[in-house]
Amino acid sequence: MCLIDKVSIPPGTAMNTQDGITIGASFSYTNASPALSSTLTLTDTTQVGSVGLALIKSIDKLTVKLGEAITYTITYQNNGSTPVSAIVLRDATPAYTTFLSANCGAPLPAGITACNVTTQPAAGAKGAIEWTLTGNLSPAAPGQARPGEL
């Protein structure tokens, strides 16, 4: 199951304005005995800030078989006019998956001198993933962080 939450901020929106949305999906397993169903929800809060850091999370497959590995990528880009520093990207293993590996993606974007996976669960476990970027992400500079999951 893949849920997409696209957020757009209109020009002129006041600083520190927040917008929250809860998205969800329900599904039932066919031919399950006893009957099985599941409901998932996610609450996403977006806050308008002074920098233009854009984040896009994508996945390499829309459908997978049980036990098949999937890889998703977090692409980040400075859409602002000044460098962005002290960037920490945080994510977690989605429901029904377990962690395999994580990396920073190469090459590093303009202005970033180092990228480290500073938090990650053990392979086969669930948990938080964190990437810490050192340096100043230059305007228009894109980069990627990649956690792999099962």
Side-chain angles (χ1 to χ4, degrees):
M1 179 180 317
C2 177
L3 302 176
I4 299 173
D5 175 15
K6 182 176 180 180
V7 178
S8 297
I9 311 272
T13 302
M15 294 296 289
N16 296 318
T17 299
Q18 288 188 352
D19 180 49
I21 185 171
T22 299
I23 59 176
S26 297
F27 59 93
S28 296
Y29 298 90
T30 334
N31 299 323
S33 182
L36 296 172
S37 63
S38 182
T39 301
L40 301 172
T41 60
L42 171 70
T43 301
D44 181 40
T45 302
T46 302
Q47 180 172 340
V48 177
S50 60
V51 297
L53 187 63
L55 299 172
I56 298 172
K57 188 173 178 179
S58 59
I59 192 165
D60 68 338
K61 301 172 191 164
L62 293 179
T63 60
V64 293
K65 296 177 183 171
L66 183 62
E68 186 176 16
I70 59 171
T71 301
Y72 72 85
T73 301
I74 299 172
T75 302
Y76 55 92
Q77 181 168 328
N78 180 358
N79 289 337
S81 59
T82 59
V84 178
S85 61
I87 298 172
V88 178
L89 303 173
R90 292 183 178 100
D91 203 5
T93 50
Y96 307 105
T97 66
T98 57
F99 180 78
L100 290 178
S101 64
N103 65 61
C104 289
L108 293 175
I112 297 298
T113 57
C115 174
N116 294 295
V117 180
T118 47
T119 301
Q120 63 183 334
K126 296 176 180 283
I129 309 162
E130 182 176 281
W131 298 262
T132 302
L133 307 176
T134 305
N136 298 304
L137 184 62
S138 300
Q144 294 184 333
R146 293 187 189 99
E149 293 163 354
L150 175 68

